[in-house]
DNA sequence: CATGAATGAGCTTTCATTCAT
DNA sequence: AATGAATGAAAGCTCATTCAT
């Protein structure tokens, strides 16, 4: 039971979404029940339907709000992290890890519930991920270009972005197992691992199984 | 309708699991219905329950079979890939990407359905992932140790393993968008990105936002 | 179809229980289906589950309501039947036969469905029966004690109570075959049969197969 | 697993019925499953159907065999218990209590499973009970007649028989709670309670609430 | 004589969703 | 603005029963 009686619409919506994020994170989309969400939000089911239309609408609202927050944090950091691409990438990654550390539920909803859902939802999730990937790829490409060499192209940058985002994603689990590690530390390690390696590759150092 | 009439038990079980992997991959655990699986397998529901006990039992059977296959391929390659750790890592990653390329459904089931499920299932999935992570961390550690320097310890190896596995994971999506790319190519790129970078780091080259 | 549209909860519950008693009496617990009960009550199945939780919960509710009614009638009569134990026993038996005559279904549910059911249900039924047995045994003991002789003890009273209750129980069938017989008449006959006999025994008259 | 391989039909049937009586007694008709019975009997389900036709046929076979045994014991004792009706009644009751003491499962099946079943089964159970009631009523009537008085008629005898049989029935529970009590002792007590009382009543002693 | 394989039908239960107030 | 009452539809699961060998 959160608040009661005569709450203006927008505020009620946010309360409902707050609760829904928690419940979806804990139970998953299908296992979550609108009953439980309504009860935890301290209102009746018809209100949920009046404001959010359907279970899927409710989930979409959660998704959008949390995705917007995450993407905003990410892009905001990338925009203000400094001039050099690597600094901006670093700032963005840091923002990401900090967001996940602070809003675990939001992250779970965004990350682990995309399959088994409707077109609309899958699209929304994919859109957020694509936004992040594009941002990263852009930074990577800028870093490459800046370094003068153009051995690597768009596709390579996309590849690196996927690898980076996947690594970051997986490292959220590692973080959950190492609560003492700060987002800053994690970010620094990841940058070292990937960025330095990428730099060397650009300089022509190539690994191959034939001559390792 | 796969096979018909009077099929011995073990064979039927495999048929059912074959179909179930497809359906679970397409719909997700909760949205999948035993009815649909039975119908696609060309048998009646009671057979599914007779042989696999419950919907969860069926899912577990899928999970176990596919996880075993994947882990076996991965570890088999790691064992026979050569003497040097990086060669073995390369072989293992290659086996992984090849497996995913060939058994997309299996991979989806293994990868995207772990949350919102019962203890038993979560355990099974986590176990498979942990096996792979441990294998990778071992290889990474061996690579580090071999190189003579011991700046990096177990925790670092674990970190790198998470990053690598997460990157590989995410790259399966990239592969799905680039059907022309071979598993070999993907593997090579990833090794270059990570391994070379790691080598440089070991040699003392450090990146930091303060002095990039 | 009993009542329709927008009935407050408690009233609906009683309607449902009313119907359920009839159906359980006719079919027995296992053979009764919630579908049939819902349909006869003129509502949909989910209402039954919303209010009574489960088929077993529904049966328990029937059991408790009817058992309470019967035990209350029995004990109420025993309490107000007069001073002398035999008068009170007579009043209680009369109340029992009158109850059965008027609520045949309730009696069937209470009496014939105890086995093959869950612990909770068996406990509820056994509890009601035990309450009645204890009441009867108490009256019998009082009658014995009052008569001055103490040849008979607690165990004897318990034995007599079982015999009496069993006789009464069986006589409900006899009543069903003799609709013209009033509860009063039946009660009187039973009292004559048992109470007088018990009195003689207390006075020392003993029957034995050796010397009949 | 009782016996195996190539057992002649009649013997197999008896084995199946033996097991079925146990299972029906423990679980009740509906809750008992043919699967469990077949497994405990050490044979496959189709054999059960081949020999006993259906679940109901199986139950009927159990019922008939056990009812025959009980009625035979009862009537046998009544026939050989001596000349005087009360001696024969005593012998018959003794046979009844001894049967129940020794074949608890049979008694449970005969006694507590009659409702909720099909016409055929209800008829079978009712038939057995009626046979016993008739026998008892006959003895009671003989006792009455012999005593010279004819205040009491057929209906009265039937009433007494119902009371007696119900008392005996209920006393089987009392016996279950008093394992040290012998069938002989129980029978003697019951005879004392009822027969002596009946005798007094015949002699004109009448109880009534008006003048107790 | 005997059975593993197979199923039609029906059960209890749950849930997203809407109506009447 | 808000809710208690109500339901259609479907899911998981079980069981008595039969077929093919």
């Amino acid at each position: 039971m959160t608040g009661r009686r005569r709450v203006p619409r927008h505020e009620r919506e946010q309360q409902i979404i707050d609760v829904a994020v928690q419940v979806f994170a804990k139970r998953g989309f299908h296992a979550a029940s609108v009953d439980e969400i309504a009860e935890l939000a301290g209102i009746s089911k018809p209100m949920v339907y009046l404001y959010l239309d359907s279970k899927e609408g409710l989930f979409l609202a959660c998704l959008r709000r949390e995705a917007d927050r995450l993407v905003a944090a990410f892009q905001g950091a990338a925009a203000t992290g400094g001039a050099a691409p690597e600094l901006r990438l670093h700032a963005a990654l840091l923002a990401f890890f900090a967001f996940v550390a602070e809003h675990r539920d939001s992250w779970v909803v965004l990350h682990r519930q995309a399959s088994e859902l409707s077109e609309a939802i899958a699209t929304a999730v994919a859109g957020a991920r694509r936004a992040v990937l594009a941002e990263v790829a852009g930074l990577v490409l800028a870093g490459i270009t800046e370094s003068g060499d153009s051995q690597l192209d768009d596709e390579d940058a996309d590849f690196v972005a996927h690898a980076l985002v996947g690594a970051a994603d997986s490292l959220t689990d590692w973080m959950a197992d190492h609560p003492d590690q700060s987002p800053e530390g994690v970010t620094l390690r990841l940058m070292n691992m990937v960025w330095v390696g990428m730099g060397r590759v650009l300089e022509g150092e190539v690994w191959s199984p034939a001559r390792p």
Side-chain angles (χ1 to χ4, degrees), chain A residues 32-187:
Chain A
S33 87
V34 179
D35 266 303
E36 180 179 2
I37 292 169
E39 191 176 2
L40 277 178
I43 56 166
S44 69
K45 258 188 302 184
M47 291 300 295
V48 177
Y49 281 88
L50 183 62
Y51 286 159
L52 281 314
D53 276 340
S54 68
K55 188 186 184 184
E56 188 168 318
L58 173 55
F59 190 70
L60 257 174
C62 292
L63 226 43
R64 289 208 178 103
R65 198 185 72 177
E66 303 308 318
D68 284 355
R69 285 181 180 173
L70 173 53
V71 171
F74 191 85
Q75 294 184 335
T80 62
E86 69 227 55
L87 286 178
R88 291 167 59 206
L89 178 58
H90 174 261
L93 285 175
L94 177 54
F96 166 74
F97 285 116
F99 180 91
V100 172
E102 205 175 346
H103 306 93
R104 187 96 208 152
D105 281 348
S106 310
W107 173 240
V108 169
V109 168
L110 282 173
H111 184 238
R112 316 255 187 215
Q113 316 288 344
S115 65
E116 85 177 72
L117 300 179
S118 75
E119 204 71 13
I121 288 178
T123 303
V125 172
R129 191 174 181 93
R130 218 176 306 119
V132 170
L133 281 170
E135 185 77 34
V136 172
L139 294 173
V140 168
L141 195 60
I144 292 170
T145 308
E146 186 181 64
S147 84
D149 266 312
S150 59
Q151 298 164 307
L152 305 188
D153 59 5
D154 274 19
E155 194 188 83
D156 290 299
D158 200 39
F159 181 97
V160 172
H162 271 84
L164 245 179
V165 169
D169 181 345
S170 174
L171 284 170
T172 59
D173 289 341
W174 187 87
M175 282 172 74
D177 291 340
H178 297 81
D180 53 312
Q181 297 287 326
S182 69
E184 288 77 11
V186 172
T187 309

